[in-house]
Amino acid sequence: MADTEPVTIVVLGVDDAPAGLVLSTEARWNQNEADWRFFLTNGIVFGVRDGTDLVATAALLPYSAGNAWISMVLVTERWRRRGIATRLVDACLDAARQGGLTTWLDATPAGATVYGPLGFTPTLQLRRLRLEHPRQEASETLAIGDLDALNARDRRAMAFERNALLAEFGARAGSRILSHDNAMALVRDGRTARHIGPLFADSAEDALALVDAISRTETGPILIDAIASQEPFIAGLTGAGWNIERPFQRMRFGRATTQGEELPFAVAGPEFG
């Protein structure tokens, strides 16, 4: 198609999950089909098709207390640089305005240069870290965490509820909610790597001890999206062999909402907040 041809934005359904996975796989993202099904079932996912092929997406995932997350902004290679991503984000913002929602997103550095002119305000920063080869050694015993306790700490950190998200994560095959001393985290499958987060702890030492214990029980690559200002935590991870892959910039569009009472050590993922 020529760059000047009109683009029709459509609302996608749960049957589009496999096609969405093709797009995120092309981008080398870690989402799996279960993630796509959650967005398509619980949020609004806008898309652009070329015939029957899905070539671009953007998702709006409402939470509670007037907050929502924008993510899954994807455009296949041959359709990039035509303004499609901006149009899809505008569709998400229009839907959010109709619902009176403040929107958030976690942007890559390239994405942040696009979202800033649209009116997004930078807030905190994240650092994605990867452990490629966990040590297969005996670890301290990990306790099975409680979903209600995880929801409560997540609510204190986010200042709004994400019970449906965390319950769905926790119910997936392979997911675990684990705790050690004063730290707790959710561990789940991704497409290419396991993911730790959200992670809450009373100190960096507690957070690092939990991550170390979890990593000793894993057999493949692990990702964690850490809050950048938790510097002792990140320093401890890199000292233990984790590598920083990329930064993310959290941004907000709309009125400021209530701030959380505690800062997590790691988040659920840039696509979920």
Side-chain angles (χ1 to χ4, degrees), residues 147 164-177 186-188:
L147 178 60
L165 173 70
L166 298 182
E168 203 273 347
F169 278 170
R172 292 181 186 177
S175 291
R176 299 186 294 165
I177 300 172
L186 190 148
V187 187
R188 60 185 174 89

Side-chain angles (χ1 to χ4, degrees), residues 150 153-154 157 162 166 178 182-187 195-204 206-212 214 223-227 230 233 237 242 262-269 273:
L150 184 69
R153 291 203 77 162
D154 190 69
R162 301 189 298 177
L166 298 182
L178 300 171
N182 295 313
M184 66 186 315
L186 190 148
V187 187
H195 189 277
I196 300 175
L199 187 157
F200 309 99
D202 292 348
S203 68
D206 288 341
L208 288 166
L210 176 58
V211 171
D212 179 67
I214 291 172
L223 295 176
I224 191 164
D225 294 305
I227 301 291
Q230 299 281 23
F233 177 59
L237 291 176
W242 291 72
E262 70 169 293
L263 192 65
F265 283 85
V267 304

Side-chain angles (χ1 to χ4, degrees), residues 58-83:
L60 177 71
L61 182 62
Y63 288 132
S64 66
N67 293 276
W69 222 261
I70 293 176
S71 60
M72 312 313 289
V73 182
L74 289 155
V75 182
T76 193
E77 174 66 31
R78 71 183 186 279
W79 275 73
R80 293 174 190 167
R81 292 171 292 279
R82 304 187 192 189

Side-chain angles (χ1 to χ4, degrees), residues 26-77:
E26 178 189 342
R28 299 183 180 179
W29 290 4
N30 196 47
Q31 290 81 18
N32 56 26
E33 189 168 324
D35 293 327
W36 275 102
R37 290 186 179 278
F38 186 85
F39 281 109
L40 290 160
T41 302
N42 296 273
I44 305 171
V45 183
F46 297 99
V48 173
R49 301 187 194 277
D50 179 12
T52 60
D53 294 334
L54 185 64
V55 299
T57 60
L60 177 71
L61 182 62
Y63 288 132
S64 66
N67 293 276
W69 222 261
I70 293 176
S71 60
M72 312 313 289
V73 182
L74 289 155
V75 182
T76 193
E77 174 66 31

Side-chain angles (χ1 to χ4, degrees), residues 73-134:
V73 182
L74 289 155
V75 182
T76 193
E77 174 66 31
R78 71 183 186 279
W79 275 73
R80 293 174 190 167
R81 292 171 292 279
R82 304 187 192 189
I84 295 173
T86 299
R87 290 188 58 185
L88 287 167
V89 171
D90 284 342
C92 291
L93 292 175
D94 287 343
R97 277 191 287 266
Q98 292 176 27
L101 303 174
T102 293
T103 51
W104 302 79
L105 55 77
D106 290 331
T108 62
T113 65
V114 174
Y115 301 129
L118 295 178
F120 282 87
T121 301
T123 57
L124 56 79
Q125 293 190 356
L126 308 173
R127 297 289 183 269
R128 166 159 287 192
L129 296 98
R130 183 183 184 97
L131 183 64
E132 192 66 35
H133 302 292

